[in-house]
Each structure stands twice: as C-alpha cells, then as structure tokens.
Amino acid sequence: AASASDGRSAAGPVAPGTVYLVGAGPGAVGMLTVRAVEVLSSCDVVLYDRLVPLEIVRLARPSAEVRYVGKEGNVNTDIMKGQQDDINSQLAELAKKGLSVCRLKGGDPMIYGRVGEEMEELAGAGVPYEIVPAVTAALAAGADARVPLTFRKLATSLRILTMNPTTTKDDKFDWQQFLAPSTTYALYMGLSALPGVCEKLIAVGVSKDRPMAVVDRASLPSMQVVAGTVGTLPSLVHGRTDLEGPAMCLLGDVVGLRERLAGVAAPMPAPAPVADAAYAMALVALPSVATEGLERLKEHIDGLLAARKGAGDEPPAKRPAAA
C-alpha cells in the first residue's frame, strides 16, 4: 500500500493530500476526459466503483494502490449507507496521510453518484478536493440511440430521474411530472423496474403510444437499443438475457424520431488495448504541454524505459484489490 512517507506522492497534475472525485463516463475508454486520465494516471491511490470497467481502472499509474469499493444494486438502504460511510472515511484518512486519492465513479459523479456525501465528509474533515465531471449515461444513450434529447418545437426540456422498484411503491413520488409537455425523460433504472414504471405512467395518463426506448451498455461496442412505446416496451425486453446492463430508458416524443434520424452509422472502431488507449490519451495532452514540460517529460520517459529494460518486462497489469 502507498504511504505518505515512501516518496511516491504524485507530482504535476495532482497534489498530495488531495482527493479527486472523478467521473469515468459511460464505460468506453474513449469517453474519458483528458483531465480524468491525468488524475487517474497520477494518483497514489484509486478507489473505484462497480460500474467502472477494468480497462479504465488499468490506466492508473503502475505503483498506485487500487481498491475496489463497489456497491451492489437493490440492497437495503441501511447497508448501502454503511458502505458509503466507509468509503467516505477511507477518502479522508488516505488524504490525511498525504496521499493523492482518485475516487473513480461510473458516469458523472454529480449525477446519482453519491458524490455529495463524499464532498460533505471531505469538507468537514478539511481535506481539499476537486471534482472532475464526465459524460453522463443519458448523453451517451441519446447519442447511441440516435435520439436528440432536445429538438426544436418538440422537446425543449430534459428531466433526469432515477427509478427503481422502490419508486413505484412510493406514494409521495410525483408521477404527474411525466405529463409535462415538450419534455424528454432520461430514466436511470434497471430493467427489473420497467414494468412497474410503465404501469404507473399509464395510470397517471401517459399515453400507451408515447415513444420509449431502452439503451443497454451505452458507449460500448456491445450497445443495444430496444425501441417501443410505454405500452409495448416491457414485453419487448422481457426475457432478453442479452441485455446485460447497465441500461437506461429514454421517454418522449424525440424517441419517435430515431428511425428518421438514424442515417448511416459510422463504423464502430475496434476496442483498443489498454496500452494503446493510454498512449492515445497521452498524445491528446501533449500539444498543450510547454517546452520545459516536454523536456521534463522526455527525461521521465527515458527513466521509465531504462527501468523496464532493466527489469526485462512490461509494467504489471492492474489487478483490483479484494472487496
């Protein structure tokens, strides 16, 4: 495990004793922001969630301590809170040791990522932190499904909601909001909740013919779209074992445009090996580096190459720590 006294605190893009709350995006390595790669490849410790692919986790620096802190879905609220409290404590404790800490979350950390609780913990503990935003799943799903989330004269607002089986049992939940005109709804939800949600939508007056789609594994080569209506979508996805998740639903008139807007799809690039993805990200950042920085970078690269030649091997692959 890394410690403040072992001389491995990162320099440059990150600061010792600081926590970075980083969004990993919808799943594809290519959807990461340059800043996310900078932080992930520089921090002493990385704590990552269940929905972050290992291809992204492996972009951490070779000497980093990598901890899996993923939480399973559909668990008791009290259990979930206990797990989150433990993560909060880890972040503060690691930073107070003088380590740079990357808290890596699927999607955007500010949207259903429970980042507010971590911000609260860090602020109370006097630990400096930075939030690194990301492409959230709703944007990737709209892009992959060829569904513009807003469209002139058809959809002038976007609502983002989280839905689960508990939502359909909540008497205080406002189902009337789904009757708002000119609105697209991006629903972060598991497929198990879909039948109950559609029943509630119809009961409140949403037309059975309102266009609705499931987007499974947005941004990944295995992405799939199942399009239908509020009345038909549950039966269309029922029993589909190939819809592995994570999935989300898009609801609104814009979903009905997807066939007209589909056009000719661009060829899907083959997934790049992790090393190639890291190389590509490095190339993106190089043009903005000053001459002095490039010279220091060259010295660092020469040192890494010499060390690897001496060891006679490539750096070890990242393996997640046991939960």
Side-chain angles (χ1 to χ4, degrees):
S3 66
S5 60
D6 65 7
R8 290 190 287 153
S9 291
V14 298
T18 302
V19 174
Y20 298 84
L21 306 169
V22 180
V29 175
M31 289 285 182
L32 286 169
T33 66
V34 172
R35 180 58 178 154
V37 175
E38 286 179 341
V39 171
L40 177 56
S41 62
S42 301
C43 278
D44 297 312
V45 187
V46 176
L47 287 76
Y48 74 98
D49 275 348
R50 178 173 60 93
L51 294 180
V52 180
L54 289 181
E55 288 78 10
I56 290 176
V57 178
R58 293 189 181 108
L59 295 177
R61 57 188 274 198
S63 61
E65 177 186 351
V66 179
R67 299 183 182 181
Y68 174 71
V69 293
K71 300 183 291 292
E72 296 302 318
N74 297 323
V75 301
N76 180 276
T77 301
D78 292 335
I79 294 176
M80 183 78 74
K81 183 181 185 304
Q83 293 172 332
Q84 184 61 53
D85 288 345
D86 178 64
I87 294 170
N88 297 347
S89 299
Q90 289 186 58
L91 295 176
E93 291 169 2
L94 289 166
K96 287 182 176 180
K97 292 179 181 178
L99 298 169
S100 53
V101 183
C102 173
R103 174 70 173 105
L104 191 61
K105 298 170 171 285
D108 181 275
M110 304 289 276
I111 299 179
Y112 304 125
R114 305 194 74 153
V115 75
E117 297 168 47
E118 295 170 359
M119 294 164 64
E120 189 173 39
E121 175 78 17
L122 297 171
V127 173
Y129 68 87
E130 175 187 334
I131 298 168
V132 181
V135 175
T136 188
L139 304 183
D144 281 351
R146 301 296 178 97
V147 173
L149 300 181
T150 61
F151 197 93
R152 186 169 59 92
K153 296 183 179 180
L154 188 64
T156 56
S157 66
L158 169 67
R159 296 193 187 191
I160 294 176
L161 300 97
T162 180
M163 312 290 285
N164 55 56
T166 303
T167 307
T168 59
K169 302 174 184 177
D170 184 359
D171 293 335
K172 297 180 180 179
F173 186 80
D174 179 20
W175 292 97
Q176 294 286 332
Q177 65 181 295
F178 289 100
L179 298 175
S182 304
T183 300
T184 303
Y185 301 87
L187 309 178
Y188 289 65
M189 57 186 284
L191 291 183
S192 62
L194 183 61
V197 168
C198 288
E199 286 179 10
K200 289 287 188 180
L201 292 175
I202 294 169
V204 83
V206 175
S207 172
K208 292 182 179 181
D209 296 325
R210 191 86 190 274
M212 191 176 192
V214 167
V215 185
D216 186 62
R217 289 162 291 178
S219 84
L220 298 176
S222 55
M223 182 278 306
Q224 295 190 81
V225 180
V226 181
T229 66
V230 172
T232 63
L233 192 59
S235 62
L236 291 175
V237 302
H238 179 71
R240 289 278 300 271
T241 58
D242 58 321
L243 300 175
E244 299 175 1
M248 70 175 307
C249 291
L250 301 176
L251 169 66
D253 293 338
V254 287
V255 178
L257 298 177
R258 64 181 303 271
E259 289 188 10
R260 175 158 66 91
L261 301 178
V264 179
M268 178 68 73
V274 171
D276 289 349
Y279 174 70
M281 291 296 181
L283 287 182
V284 170
L286 282 178
S288 62
V289 179
T291 300
E292 182 181 352
L294 289 173
E295 291 172 349
R296 290 201 306 269
L297 185 60
K298 182 179 182 299
E299 293 176 2
H300 184 62
I301 291 172
D302 289 341
L304 283 175
L305 289 173
R308 291 185 186 179
K309 288 177 181 177
D313 199 1
E314 291 294 311
K318 288 285 177 305
R319 291 183 176 85

